[in-house]
C-alpha cells in the first residue's frame, strides 16, 4: 500500500514526473473539470478525449501529453474527488469518540458524496477497474488518498501501527468493492452501510 500520508494537489502530476508551471497546472485543472462534467452528464462512454480537449480549450495532442488515455484521465478525476472530500471532512470531522464509528461515518459520507453523481461515480470506478500497469502510479495515489481518509477518521496523532495499516487496507478494499457492488446493482445502500460498519470494526480488534 502506498504511504497513507501521501497528499497531492489535483494540479500535481504523479510522482517522478517534473512539477508543473502555474500555466500547466491551470491547464490540467481545466482538463479535469471538463472530464468531470462530461462524466457527470453521461458516464464513462461520454468522456471522449476529443470532447474533453474542446471543452477544456486545449489541443488534443496537449491533452494526451497530460493524460495518455481516458483511463488515466478518469483515475485522476477520482483522485481529485477524493482529495476534495478529504478537505471537506477535515473541516467537518466525525464526532464519535471511538475510531471505528468515525471511520464508518467518514466512508459512508464518502459513499453518499459519490451517490449524488452516480454517472460520475460509474465512470471513475470503471476506469479503476480497467487500469493496467501503465496507470499504476495514478492508482497508487487513489489508494493513498482513500487510506488517508481512513487514517484521518481514526484521529490519532502518531503513525499507525502495523495492525492498523492492515485494517486500513482491508477497509479500503471493502469500500471500493462496496461501491462497485452498488453501482452494478448487486448491493443496496443499506448493505453498503452495513459492510462499511463491519469493516470499520476491524480497528477494534487486538
Amino acid at each position: 500500500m502506498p504511504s497513507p500520508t501521501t497528499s497531492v494537489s489535483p494540479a500535481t502530476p504523479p510522482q517522478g514526473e517534473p512539477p508543473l508551471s502555474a500555466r500547466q497546472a491551470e491547464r490540467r485543472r481545466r482538463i479535469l473539470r471538463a472530464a468531470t462534467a462530461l462524466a457527470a452528464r453521461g458516464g464513462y462512454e461520454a468522456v471522449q478525449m476529443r470532447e474533453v480537449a474542446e471543452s477544456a480549450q486545449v489541443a488534443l495532442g496537449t491533452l494526451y501529453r497530460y493524460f495518455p488515455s481516458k483511463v488515466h484521465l478518469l483515475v485522476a478525476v477520482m483522485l481529485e474527488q477524493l482529495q476534495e472530500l478529504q478537505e471537506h471532512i477535515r473541516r467537518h470531522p466525525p464526532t464519535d469518540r471511538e475510531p471505528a464509528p468515525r471511520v464508518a461515518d467518514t466512508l459512508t459520507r464518502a459513499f453518499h458524496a459519490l451517490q449524488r453523481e452516480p454517472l460520475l461515480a460509474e465512470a471513475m470506478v470503471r476506469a479503476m477497474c480497467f487500469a493496467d500497469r501503465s496507470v499504476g502510479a495514478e492508482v497508487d495515489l487513489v489508494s493513498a488518498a482513500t487510506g488517508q481518509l481512513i487514517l484521518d477518521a481514526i484521529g490519532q496523532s502518531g503513525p499507525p501501527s502495523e495492525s492498523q495499516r492492515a485494517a486500513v487496507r482491508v477497509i479500503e478494499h471493502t469500500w471500493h468493492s462496496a461501491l462497485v457492488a452498488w453501482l452494478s446493482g448487486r448491493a443496496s445502500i443499506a448493505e453498503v452501510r452495513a459492510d462499511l460498519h463491519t469493516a470499520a470494526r476491524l480497528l477494534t480488534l487486538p
Side-chain angles (χ1 to χ4, degrees):
M1 176 176 152
S3 170
T5 58
T6 302
S7 180
V8 181
S9 162
T12 303
Q15 189 173 6
E17 295 185 14
L20 301 178
S21 68
R23 183 176 179 181
Q24 290 170 325
E26 173 55 29
R27 188 179 297 136
R28 191 175 191 273
R29 278 190 289 266
R30 290 204 314 271
I31 291 169
L32 291 173
R33 284 197 298 267
T36 300
L38 287 168
R41 288 199 300 267
Y44 184 85
E45 300 301 336
V47 182
Q48 300 298 321
M49 297 296 269
R50 186 172 297 279
E51 291 187 32
V52 172
E54 290 174 358
S55 180
Q57 298 181 318
V58 300
L60 185 59
T62 299
L63 172 58
Y64 277 109
R65 283 199 298 274
Y66 283 85
F67 301 102
S69 72
K70 179 164 75 171
V71 170
H72 285 82
L73 175 55
L74 284 170
V75 171
V77 168
M78 187 165 193
L79 175 62
E80 182 181 50
Q81 295 290 310
L82 285 169
Q83 289 169 334
E84 290 176 359
L85 178 64
Q86 188 177 64
E87 289 304 312
H88 174 77
I89 289 176
R90 284 175 176 172
R91 292 193 301 269
H92 307 282
T95 57
D96 200 284
R97 297 179 65 179
E98 297 299 321
R102 287 200 300 269
V103 168
D105 176 58
T106 294
L107 293 180
T108 299
R109 287 160 65 183
F111 173 75
H112 285 313
L114 294 173
Q115 184 190 1
R116 288 192 288 270
E117 296 282 2
L119 292 177
L120 174 59
E122 177 263 345
M124 295 186 297
V125 170
R126 282 184 66 182
M128 289 289 291
C129 292
F130 293 155
D132 58 20
R133 291 183 180 180
S134 71
V135 202
E138 292 84 353
V139 170
D140 284 349
L141 289 175
V142 169
S143 177
T146 308
Q148 189 61 54
L149 271 177
I150 298 167
L151 289 172
D152 286 350
I154 292 172
Q156 68 186 42
S157 56
S161 66
E162 285 305 311
S163 61
Q164 284 176 322
R165 288 182 182 275
V168 166
R169 287 195 296 270
V170 174
I171 295 167
E172 177 192 337
H173 295 328
T174 301
W175 187 77
H176 283 291
S177 296
L179 183 58
V180 170
W182 172 72
L183 286 168
S184 63
R186 294 185 288 108
S188 67
I189 294 173
E191 289 171 328
V192 169
R193 286 199 202 98
D195 288 350
L196 293 177
H197 280 268
T198 298
R201 284 199 290 272
L202 289 172
L203 292 168
T204 63
L205 297 177

